Amino acid sequence: MRYGLIVVVAAGSVFASTGVSDGTKQYEAKGDQAARSFDTRQALAMYKKAQNESPEQYEVMAKLAAAYTDVGEDLGSSPEAVDMFLKGYDNAEKLVEMYPDSSMGYFFKALIAGALVEKVVNKDKVRLSRIIDANARKAIELDPDFAPSYIVLGAYYREVETVSGFTRKMAEMMYGEIPAAGMKESRRLLKQSVTLDPTSIHAHYELAKTCKVMGEQKTAEKHFKRALQLPVNDHRHPYIQKQARKHLKEDGVEVDNSYAKGK
């Protein structure tokens, strides 16, 4: 579930800077440039400076939440990754508190909770699952045209369903019910994400994974291949395309050279 900074930078009209200092705008522009170059550390540094200039500016707070998330993803299994995610989550919570009628804070709360699920014990996994479910749903309610929120929720429903029955039952017995809606709902949400943003590598890849689990091999193949055809415009896309090729190879599907670099 990784759909961070470039999503925010691309949403230019939504995050247009108004009523802020020239210093804030300059730092924000430098952060945007670094984000487009996939220099996540530099983007984070610039957005932190922008926030120092304008601590409560909506678009700066959103981009900072995204930047912390992207740096956390780049850090992988490093202990520092959790710290980055938690700082991003703090920014997302502030967005929700200050701008409760905007979807972006809820979206990042769901996204970052998903990133943290892999790094915590079972009790915290259940709590994070509830955060993902509630906040992704709220983000969709507030902005039904924002594709990444559907991706987060659709991927979450698939992951819950593919956890072994024993593991899930034990977690629910110990810590309470885990929200879930099933594979059909996962597919519906991910299809909607592709409809809303047919150029999204993330959307096609996650839909392909759900279709594969459901035994819809032809549809899965179609969307894995589409994920390889689309241009890379996010720091995670090379990894996602590598995983798409791996899935296709496992399924015995030949991938010719035209898919080699996401052409």
Side-chain angles (χ1 to χ4, degrees):
M1 295 184 208
R2 299 175 171 91
Y3 323 99
L5 182 52
I6 202 66
V7 168
V8 179
V9 173
S13 61
V14 177
F15 296 95
S17 296
T18 58
V20 298
S21 69
D22 289 341
T24 300
K25 292 178 182 178
Q26 290 172 7
Y27 287 130
E28 188 179 353
K30 289 179 181 179
D32 293 350
Q33 183 178 5
R36 293 189 181 97
S37 301
F38 310 149
D39 187 346
T40 57
R41 285 281 190 179
Q42 177 67 4
L44 175 60
M46 291 300 102
Y47 293 137
K48 287 170 73 174
K49 289 183 178 182
Q51 191 187 47
N52 287 337
E53 294 269 338
S54 302
E56 298 181 354
Q57 185 65 26
Y58 174 75
E59 65 271 14
V60 172
M61 293 172 66
K63 289 177 179 179
L64 190 55
Y68 276 121
T69 306
D70 279 4
V71 172
E73 290 168 355
D74 286 345
L75 285 167
S77 60
S78 167
E80 189 186 356
V82 173
D83 182 55
M84 291 293 107
F85 289 137
L86 291 176
K87 287 177 178 177
Y89 193 85
D90 284 344
N91 273 270
E93 284 198 309
K94 289 175 185 176
L95 272 171
V96 169
E97 180 181 348
M98 295 179 63
Y99 303 95
D101 296 328
S102 172
S103 68
M104 199 55 63
Y106 301 99
F107 165 71
F108 277 112
K109 285 185 70 175
L111 176 66
I112 296 168
L116 287 168
V117 162
E118 302 170 2
K119 301 179 181 295
V120 298
V121 297
N122 281 342
K123 182 177 181 179
D124 290 329
K125 287 183 191 295
V126 174
R127 186 174 69 86
L128 289 170
S129 293
R130 293 170 183 153
I131 291 172
I132 296 166
D133 185 68
N135 284 277
R137 284 178 174 276
K138 185 64 175 179
I140 290 170
E141 175 189 332
L142 291 170
D143 186 357
D145 295 326
F146 188 57
S149 298
Y150 293 87
I151 301 173
V152 170
L153 192 57
Y156 160 72
Y157 285 148
R158 181 191 64 243
E159 295 305 312
V160 169
E161 287 299 306
T162 53
V163 171
S164 74
F166 177 77
T167 302
R168 180 174 171 183
K169 188 64 177 178
M170 287 295 294
E172 289 185 335
M173 288 172 64
M174 294 175 67
Y175 308 119
E177 185 178 357
I178 301 172
M183 295 301 295
K184 288 184 178 179
E185 181 65 0
S186 171
R187 180 178 57 189
R188 184 191 72 79
L189 289 162
L190 293 168
K191 280 186 174 181
Q192 181 66 9
S193 74
V194 168
T195 298
L196 289 168
D197 187 0
T199 67
S200 169
I201 288 176
H202 286 107
H204 286 283
Y205 175 71
E206 295 294 348
L207 176 56
K209 287 179 69 177
T210 290
C211 290
K212 181 176 179 177
V213 171
M214 295 179 74
E216 299 172 357
Q217 294 301 120
K218 290 296 183 182
T219 305
E221 178 183 336
K222 171 187 171 183
H223 289 285
F224 279 134
K225 285 185 173 180
R226 187 60 183 144
L228 294 177
Q229 292 173 317
L230 290 165
V232 169
N233 57 18
D234 181 272
H235 76 124
R236 293 292 297 179
H237 283 169
Y239 171 79
I240 291 171
Q241 290 184 330
K242 180 180 179 180
Q243 294 301 111
R245 292 188 195 95
K246 181 179 177 181
H247 279 287
L248 289 168
K249 184 176 180 180
E250 288 174 351
D251 296 337
V253 178
E254 295 292 330
V255 180
D256 61 37
N257 292 333
S258 65
Y259 295 96
K261 295 182 179 179
K263 295 181 179 178

